[in-house]
Amino acid sequence: MTSVPELRKNDTVFASLFTPLRLGRRTARNRIVHAPMSVCYGDAEGFVTRPQVEHYARRAQGGAGTVITENFAVNVSGRQMPLQNLVDSEERLPGLRRLADEIHRHGALAMVQLVHAGRYAGPWDVYESRRRLAPSAVPFELTAGRTVTPQEITPEEIEETIEAFGRAAELCERAGFDGVDVHAAQGFLISGFLSPRTNRRTDDWGGDFDGRVRFALEVVREVVRRTGPDFVVGVHLMSDERVEGGWTLDDSVRLAPLLEAAGADFLFGVPTTFETMRLPANDGLMGRRGYAVADNAALSLATRLPVVAGGGLGDPSAAAHALERGHVSAIALARPLFTDPDWPRKVSDGALDAVRTCSCETARCLRTQLTGAVCESWPAETVERGYFGYGNDSYGERAHS
C-alpha cells in the first residue's frame, strides 16, 4: 500500500467524525462511511470496470473511512439493474480484486453490499417472462399504472439463495475485501421476508415473527460460516416499513440482538421501501435532515454492535450532532460523497466553503442511474467524462501532493 496522508485531527466541532471506528476485528480510520448508492458503472455482463474502480477509489482518496459499494447481486435472478455487478463465480475475482486493492491504496476499509432484488428483479420491461422471486405472490405496482405479481420462492430456491449469499461473501473475501453489507432493506428479497405484508407464507419461512426473520438470520449465518473471523459482516436493515400492517421499528429492535448472535458485526438501518416511501404519510421524509437517526439510535440501544446512520447528514454539523447526540457509531453519506468525494478532507481541513453540495431539484443522479449516474454539481469536464474518478478535481490531488 502506498503512503496515505492522515486527515487532520484538529480540535474542532467536527472532531467526532474523525476518530477511529471498530467494525468487527477491523478498524476504520474515521466514522465516515461511503453509503451504498447505485451508480451503475459496471458492464452488461456484471463485471467490474475501470470507471467503477476509479469511482470508489476516489471516495477513499477523498477521506472516507469505509467505502461500501452499491449493491452487487448474488446471482442472476437477484439482479435488478442492467449494469449491476454480479458476484456469482470465480471469473468475477480479477475485477473485484482491482476494486478492493485500489480502495485500500487510499487507506479505507473496502466492503461490498450484497443483494437479491427479489420481486424488484429486472429487467422490468420483460418482467413477466422470468421468475421473479418473492416470499409470497403478492401483487404490487412496479411502475406507475403497472401492477405485476412475482412468484413465490420455493423452499429449494430459498436454500439456493442462502448459499448464493454465502458464496458471494466468500468471493469478496478472496478478492481482498474487508467485509460485506447484507442488504435486508428497501423491499428487496430479505426485507420482503421480514414484512407481514409481503410474507404470507404458512411454512417455516413465514407466519409469526420467528418464521419471518428466519431467512435473514440464515443468510447472515451462512455468510459468517463461509468467511474468516476477520471478515466484517454488516446488515443493511429495513428499520421501519412505515406502513400499517408492515414491519415496524419495534420488530427491528427485537431482531437486532438476534442478528448480533448470528454473527453480524454492524447494523445500518434504513426506513421505508421503494413503495412505502411514496405513501402520503411518508411524503417529504427523505428530505428531512437526519431522517434515519432516530431509528438507528433505537437499534443501538438494543445491541452492542456499532450502528451506522445515514439519511440527510450531508451538513457537517448534522453529521457531528448525530454522532454526539444520536447514539450512533458512524454516519453514512451517499449523495454528499457522490457530489463531492473530498467532503471528509474538506471538513477535516475546516474548508467548509469549498464543499460542493447537491443542487438538483429532481436528482440527476437518479435520472441517469440506469446508464451510469452523473451529478449536475460536478465540474463540466467531469460531467462530460461521465463519472467522477481520478484527475477530476484539484483538491484531492493537493491532499496527496
Side-chain angles (χ1 to χ4, degrees):
M1 182 184 295
T2 58
S3 175
V4 178
E6 290 292 320
L7 274 66
R8 293 169 56 185
K9 304 295 191 298
N10 48 0
D11 221 357
T12 71
V13 291
F14 308 120
S16 59
L17 296 170
F18 300 101
T19 60
L21 171 68
R22 189 74 172 171
L23 295 173
R25 297 189 183 184
R26 308 276 185 172
T27 300
R29 62 187 170 188
N30 61 45
R31 294 172 183 265
I32 300 168
V33 176
H34 174 274
M37 173 182 170
S38 293
V39 294
C40 294
Y41 298 152
D43 67 18
E45 286 72 45
F47 287 93
V48 171
T49 64
R50 182 178 61 82
Q52 194 168 40
V53 171
E54 289 197 10
H55 166 77
Y56 287 112
R58 186 64 181 81
R59 273 69 200 166
Q61 183 188 51
T66 302
V67 172
I68 305 177
T69 70
E70 65 204 284
N71 56 66
F72 289 9
V74 299
N75 56 24
V76 172
S77 76
R79 198 181 191 205
Q80 180 189 24
M81 303 284 199
L83 299 178
Q84 185 177 12
N85 293 81
L86 284 161
V87 189
D88 59 348
S89 67
E90 291 197 354
E91 64 181 342
R92 312 290 178 185
L93 283 173
L96 290 169
R97 284 195 185 103
R98 287 193 296 273
L99 178 54
D101 288 348
E102 197 66 7
I103 292 171
H104 283 151
R105 191 166 72 86
H106 298 293
L109 296 185
M111 300 191 191
V112 173
Q113 184 175 76
L114 296 178
V115 74
H116 189 293
R119 65 185 191 161
Y120 292 142
W124 292 354
D125 56 341
V126 289
Y127 192 91
E128 291 82 2
S129 68
R130 284 172 41 191
R131 280 181 62 77
R132 313 295 170 163
L133 304 180
S136 303
V138 178
F140 71 103
E141 190 175 63
L142 179 65
T143 56
R146 182 186 178 195
T147 297
V148 297
T149 304
Q151 283 76 42
E152 180 172 296
I153 187 171
T154 67
E156 293 75 22
E157 289 170 325
I158 289 174
E159 296 293 345
E160 291 169 0
T161 305
I162 292 169
E163 197 274 337
F165 271 97
R167 180 182 65 243
E170 182 181 339
L171 288 169
C172 289
E173 183 178 39
R174 289 174 58 189
F177 283 93
D178 299 291
V180 293
D181 178 36
V182 175
H183 204 327
Q186 294 182 303
F188 292 134
L189 184 62
I190 298 178
S191 57
F193 271 91
L194 299 177
S195 173
R197 295 176 61 251
T198 52
N199 184 348
R200 303 177 184 177
R201 304 176 72 94
T202 57
D203 61 6
D204 292 340
W205 300 99
D208 61 8
F209 175 88
D210 291 337
R212 287 184 285 108
V213 304
R214 182 184 173 197
F215 183 65
L217 293 173
E218 289 300 322
V219 167
V220 171
R221 291 182 185 119
E222 179 69 3
V223 168
V224 171
R225 186 184 72 82
R226 295 280 290 265
T227 56
D230 294 337
F231 195 71
V232 181
V233 180
V235 178
H236 210 77
L237 179 63
M238 178 172 66
S239 58
D240 190 337
E241 200 172 0
R242 295 183 69 95
V243 64
E244 185 176 354
W247 177 260
T248 68
L249 181 58
D250 286 343
D251 291 325
S252 289
V253 167
R254 185 178 172 187
L255 176 58
L258 302 180
L259 291 168
E260 180 180 1
D265 293 306
F266 72 89
L267 301 179
F268 186 155
V270 182
T272 74
T273 69
F274 293 122
E275 295 157 74
T276 63
M277 72 169 63
R278 299 195 296 262
L279 296 175
N282 297 323
D283 185 46
L285 173 68
M286 299 301 173
R288 298 174 199 163
R289 177 181 290 188
Y291 65 82
V293 171
D295 284 10
N296 283 289
L299 293 177
S300 71
L301 295 174
T303 176
R304 298 169 297 177
L305 297 177
V307 174
V308 180
L313 295 177
D315 182 300
S317 297
H321 186 271
L323 285 180
E324 294 159 7
R325 306 288 179 84
H327 304 291
V328 297
S329 304
I331 61 102
L333 303 176
R335 280 192 222 168
L337 293 186
F338 186 65
T339 300
D340 191 344
D342 292 307
W343 189 103
R345 294 198 178 278
K346 291 174 180 177
V347 172
S348 176
D349 290 347
L352 302 188
D353 291 343
V355 175
R356 280 193 306 273
T357 57
C358 179
S359 61
C360 306
E361 290 261 336
T362 305
R364 187 176 178 185
C365 59
L366 299 181
R367 289 183 279 120
T368 55
Q369 208 171 52
L370 291 178
T371 55
V374 298
C375 176
E376 288 178 359
S377 297
W378 286 347
E381 64 273 15
T382 302
V383 174
E384 184 178 345
R385 187 182 188 195
Y387 70 97
F388 199 130
Y390 295 142
N392 288 280
D393 186 88
S394 60
Y395 191 91
E397 298 306 317
R398 285 201 305 274
H400 284 73
S401 60

